[in-house]
Amino acid sequence: MNGLPPRLVLAVVLSMATLSVGAATYRYVDDKGRVIYSDTMPPQQAGKGHQELAPSGRVVREVERVPLTEEERRRAEAARREAEEAKRRALEAQRRDRALLSSYTSEAEIDLVRDRALELEQLRITSLETQMNYASEKLAKANAAIAKRPDNPAKVHLQMREEAQSDLTGIALHLAQARKNLEAIRVKYDADKQRYRELKGLR
C-alpha cells in the first residue's frame, strides 16, 4: 500500500477488518454424528440446527433444529436400533473369540470336540432308528390283526395302530432334526477352526 494517502490506507484496513469480523464460521453435526466447522452451510443441513461462531470461537448465534417429522423420527429410531444391533453383534463376536481362545490350545482339540459331538448325535440317531423299527413292527402287527377282522376289529388293535402311527410320526421328526444337527455340528466346528486359525495368525 506504499504511495497511498494515509486516509485511504486506513479505509482499506478498516474494510478488511469489517470483512473478517463479518465472516461467520458455522458449527454443526452431520448425519454421521461428526462435528463440522465450515464457512458455509450445506443445503442438506438446513433445519438440522447449527451454531455461528465469532473468530474468537464464541457462539454468537444458535439456530435450533426444526422438530422432526414423524417420518424423520421413524428413520432416526430405525438408525438407532440398527446401530445398537451392530454394537451387540460386535460385542457378541468379541465374546465368542475370547471363549474360543480360552477353550482350545490347538486345532486338534477342536477336532476332538467336534468328533465327540458327532458321535453323540450319531448315537441318538441310532437309538431313534431302533425306536422306528419297533414302532413299524408294532404297526404291522396291529394292521395284521385288524385285517383278520376288518368288520369288527378289536379295540386293543385299533389303539395299537393309533399309537404306532403316532410314534412313527414323532420319531420321524426327531430323526430329521438329528440328521440336520449332524451337518450343523460340522459347520459350527469348521467355522470355529477357521476363526481359531485367524485369531492365532495361522495359515
Side-chain angles (χ1 to χ4, degrees):
M1 297 183 184
N2 293 336
L4 289 176
R7 60 188 179 81
L8 289 180
V9 172
L10 180 61
V12 171
V13 171
L14 289 174
S15 176
M16 293 176 65
T18 300
L19 288 173
S20 176
V21 171
T25 297
Y26 300 96
R27 178 171 62 195
Y28 60 90
V29 179
D30 69 7
D31 292 337
K32 295 183 179 179
R34 300 174 300 189
V35 177
I36 305 296
Y37 291 85
S38 175
D39 58 358
T40 60
M41 282 292 296
Q44 64 269 24
Q45 194 63 26
K48 297 182 180 180
H50 66 273
Q51 294 174 326
E52 295 181 15
L53 309 178
S56 63
R58 180 174 59 87
V59 177
V60 296
R61 181 168 176 255
E62 185 160 355
V63 177
E64 294 185 359
R65 181 184 180 91
V66 175
L68 295 176
T69 64
E70 184 62 31
E71 178 60 25
E72 287 175 326
R73 278 195 293 271
R74 283 197 295 268
R75 287 200 299 266
E77 178 61 20
R80 183 190 65 78
R81 288 196 300 267
E82 184 178 347
E84 288 182 352
E85 178 61 19
K87 181 179 180 181
R88 186 196 65 76
R89 288 196 299 266
L91 291 174
E92 178 61 20
Q94 292 172 7
R95 185 197 65 77
R96 287 197 303 269
D97 287 347
R98 288 194 299 269
L100 190 62
L101 291 174
S102 64
S103 299
Y104 305 106
T105 60
S106 69
E107 292 180 63
E109 285 188 2
I110 298 176
D111 289 339
L112 285 173
V113 175
R114 177 203 61 201
D115 292 345
R116 180 55 178 162
L118 289 172
E119 180 183 356
L120 289 173
E121 198 63 33
Q122 186 58 57
L123 287 173
R124 179 167 175 256
I125 289 174
T126 300
S127 175
L128 287 168
E129 288 174 340
T130 299
Q131 294 175 45
M132 178 166 278
N133 290 336
Y134 174 78
S136 296
E137 291 174 0
K138 181 178 179 180
L139 179 61
K141 290 178 181 179
N143 285 334
I146 292 170
K148 291 179 180 179
R149 298 173 57 187
D151 296 331
N152 187 27
K155 184 176 180 181
V156 64
H157 294 140
L158 292 174
Q159 184 176 353
M160 182 186 299
R161 182 175 66 180
E162 183 177 347
E163 289 175 353
Q165 289 173 335
S166 177
D167 289 344
L168 284 170
T169 299
I171 294 168
L173 290 174
H174 288 303
L175 262 176
Q177 184 58 54
R179 286 166 179 152
K180 287 181 180 178
N181 290 346
L182 280 180
E183 181 59 24
I185 289 169
R186 294 187 183 96
V187 170
K188 176 190 181 304
Y189 285 98
D190 284 349
D192 282 351
K193 188 157 67 171
Q194 177 61 34
R195 183 58 179 161
Y196 181 85
R197 292 175 65 85
E198 292 171 357
L199 294 171
K200 286 291 190 178
L202 303 174
R203 292 176 180 259

